[in-house]
């Protein structure tokens, strides 16, 4: 079957994003528990996620610059090389019980996250402007591949541990390494030609390119002067912050209520289904109703999730609240990404998007750093109240 270059690029990005989701979810299912155990302090349960988001924030602009200078493909492959190094360090952290190594591991994996987050924008670049919202939704939907894959792999982790003579925690990192290698090979073999050579320019792209050439400088300082860009980044950042507050602490909350690892992973699979499972529909809804209306819809769904979480520790309530948390994030993130893609034009597109990703990562990093402290102080109720307050901020914006 002969695929057009655009379809081959989008297909390889979709598959790699699915594997990225599977890799990260496999690690994340034990991350807050590992952080609490290795540090000996439940207040540090979110520090692993924070280290991951610091890596993402630090790498956001450099990865965007690398992609603009030498190509999207090189930037993505570089990110996956950091991920493989991070997974190796993470395995050592678990094996030797060293908390600092776990933080270093998540920092390195965060660099790959900065690169992988550009995939939806890369797919949009090779797509006509009228279809970009749908394509962004499809790439975000790729996360469903990861959650479905993890659902079937969850039962095999213990068997893999027995075969390799390891603990379940160690086997989790071995499994994530295999998924990461597969993603790297997909991009290395199939992401051809270089996506930036097939970029479809709109009139606004060309005008921005010409303006940048005339000015002789990169107008990143003007990024925040566009109200549409401010709204786009706010939706992405606050949606990510609220989701991180509740998602990071849920495994620890469930363990405190006598749930096992299988239940925790299944709840997180349901959560990622909410995040990614309807993203292609969200992309269509953004085209149909507009980004602003979908951002508002996302805020209301996030409000429902924050309100449900502390009501009961019963599995159906936790599953429903985390599903809605993922769905609200999907509405806000896809709508915000579409709005940003439309307004981040010109030759420095990836740098602008990378800078936006830094804002998202920093806000999420603050959430993951503090959620364990809030949980230790007043439990899941305080975490939910803070999430509720942040949603109100988004609605005000």
């Amino acid at each position: 079957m002969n695929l057009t270059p655009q379809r081959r690029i989008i297909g390889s990005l979709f598959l790699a994003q699915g594997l990225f989701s599977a890799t990260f979810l496999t690690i994340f299912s034990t991350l807050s528990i590992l952080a609490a155990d290795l540090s000996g302090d439940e207040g540090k349960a979110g520090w692993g996620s924070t280290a991951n988001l610091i890596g993402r924030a630090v790498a956001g602009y450099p990865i965007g610059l690398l992609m603009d200078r030498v190509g999207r493909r090189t930037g993505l492959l570089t990110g996956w090389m950091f991920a493989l190094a991070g997974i190796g360090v993470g395995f050592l952290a678990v094996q030797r019980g060293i908390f600092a190594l776990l933080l270093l591991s998540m920092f390195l994996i965060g660099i790959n996250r900065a690169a992988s987050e550009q995939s939806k924008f890369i797919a949009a670049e090779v797509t006509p402007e009228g279809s970009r919202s749908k394509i962004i939704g499809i790439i975000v939907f790729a996360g469903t591949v990861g959650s479905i894959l993890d659902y079937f792999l969850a039962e095999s982790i213990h068997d893999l541990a027995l075969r390799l003579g390891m603990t379940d925690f160690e086997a989790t990192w071995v499994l994530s390494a295999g998924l990461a290698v597969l993603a790297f090979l997909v991009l290395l073999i199939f992401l051809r030609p270089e996506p930036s050579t097939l970029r479809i320019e709109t009139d606004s792209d060309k005008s921005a390119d010409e303006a940048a050439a005339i000015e002789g400088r990169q107008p990143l300082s003007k990024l925040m002067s566009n109200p549409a860009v401010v709204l786009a980044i706010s939706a992405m950042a606050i949606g990510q912050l609220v989701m991180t507050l509740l998602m990071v602490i849920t495994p620890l909350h469930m363990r405190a209520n006598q749930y096992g690892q299988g239940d925790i992973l299944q709840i997180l699979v349901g959560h990622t289904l909410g995040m990614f499972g309807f993203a292609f529909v969200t992309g269509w809804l953004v085209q149909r109703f507009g980004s602003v209306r979908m951002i508002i819809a996302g805020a209301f769904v996030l409000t429902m999730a924050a309100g449900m979480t502390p009501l009961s520790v019963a599995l159906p309530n936790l599953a429903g609240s985390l599903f809605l948390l993922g769905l609200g994030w999907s509405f806000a993130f896809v709508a915000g990404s579409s709005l940003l893609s439309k307004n981040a034009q010109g030759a420095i597109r990836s740098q602008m998007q990378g800078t936006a990703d830094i804002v998202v990562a920093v806000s999420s990093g603050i959430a993951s750093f503090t959620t364990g402290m809030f949980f230790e102080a007043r439990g899941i109720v305080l975490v939910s109240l803070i999430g509720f307050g942040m949603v109100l901020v988004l609605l005000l914006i």
Side-chain angles (χ1 to χ4, degrees), residues 53 56 233 236-237 240 333 355-365:
L53 291 159
R56 176 182 173 187
I233 295 175
M236 296 165 69
Q240 186 80 21
F333 197 81
T355 302
D357 195 53
I358 291 173
V359 178
V360 174
V362 168
S363 65
S364 190

Side-chain angles (χ1 to χ4, degrees), residues 291-370:
S291 295
V292 176
R293 290 178 181 175
M294 289 306 298
I295 288 170
I296 293 171
F300 278 108
V301 176
L302 287 169
T303 301
M304 291 173 59
M308 283 179 61
T309 301
L311 290 181
S312 170
V313 296
L315 203 61
N317 180 69
L318 292 174
S321 63
L322 279 212
F323 174 81
L324 288 176
L325 185 69
L327 186 63
W329 171 88
S330 178
F331 285 177
F333 197 81
V334 172
S337 297
S338 298
L339 193 60
L340 182 63
S341 179
K342 181 178 180 180
N343 288 276
Q345 307 288 358
I348 60 163
R349 178 194 299 265
S350 290
Q351 295 169 60
M352 293 176 75
Q353 291 162 346
T355 302
D357 195 53
I358 291 173
V359 178
V360 174
V362 168
S363 65
S364 190
I366 291 170
S368 62
F369 183 76
T370 57

Side-chain angles (χ1 to χ4, degrees), residues 123-145:
E125 282 181 346
V126 300
T127 303
E129 187 173 21
S131 301
R132 286 178 178 175
S133 294
K134 286 194 291 186
I135 288 297
I136 287 173
I138 288 171
I139 296 299
V140 174
F141 172 72
T144 306
V145 175

Side-chain angles (χ1 to χ4, degrees), residues 141-308:
F141 172 72
T144 306
V145 175
S147 58
I148 292 172
L149 187 57
D150 267 328
Y151 180 82
F152 289 106
L153 291 174
E155 299 297 328
S156 65
I157 290 176
H158 184 66
D159 292 337
L160 179 63
L162 290 176
R163 290 181 185 179
L164 298 177
M166 299 176 173
T167 66
D168 286 1
F169 284 148
E170 290 170 338
T172 297
W173 287 86
V174 170
L175 179 60
S176 66
L179 293 168
V181 168
L182 188 55
F184 182 86
L185 291 175
V186 165
L187 293 172
L188 181 66
I189 296 170
F190 297 108
L191 188 59
R192 298 176 183 277
E194 160 58 36
S196 60
T197 64
L198 295 178
R199 174 179 155 194
I200 297 176
E201 290 192 326
T202 63
D203 290 340
S204 55
D205 287 329
K206 295 173 183 176
S207 298
D209 286 345
E210 292 168 1
I214 292 170
E215 291 178 12
R217 59 188 174 87
Q218 298 175 344
L220 277 175
S221 60
K222 296 182 180 178
L223 177 63
M224 300 305 293
S225 65
N226 185 338
V229 172
V230 173
L231 176 59
I233 295 175
S234 298
M236 296 165 69
I238 294 177
Q240 186 80 21
L241 184 149
V242 174
M243 184 188 69
T244 302
L245 272 173
L246 291 164
M247 180 182 66
V248 166
I249 210 63
T250 294
L252 200 60
H253 175 57
M254 291 182 68
R255 188 174 74 164
N257 287 280
Q258 311 306 315
Y259 286 108
Q261 187 61 29
D263 290 327
I264 293 171
L265 186 54
Q266 287 186 7
I267 287 289
L268 290 177
V269 167
H271 170 66
T272 55
L273 180 63
M275 289 174 66
F276 306 125
F278 301 93
F280 68 98
V281 177
T282 303
W284 178 83
L285 290 172
V286 170
Q287 280 194 234
R288 177 69 178 81
F289 298 107
S291 295
V292 176
R293 290 178 181 175
M294 289 306 298
I295 288 170
I296 293 171
F300 278 108
V301 176
L302 287 169
T303 301
M304 291 173 59
M308 283 179 61

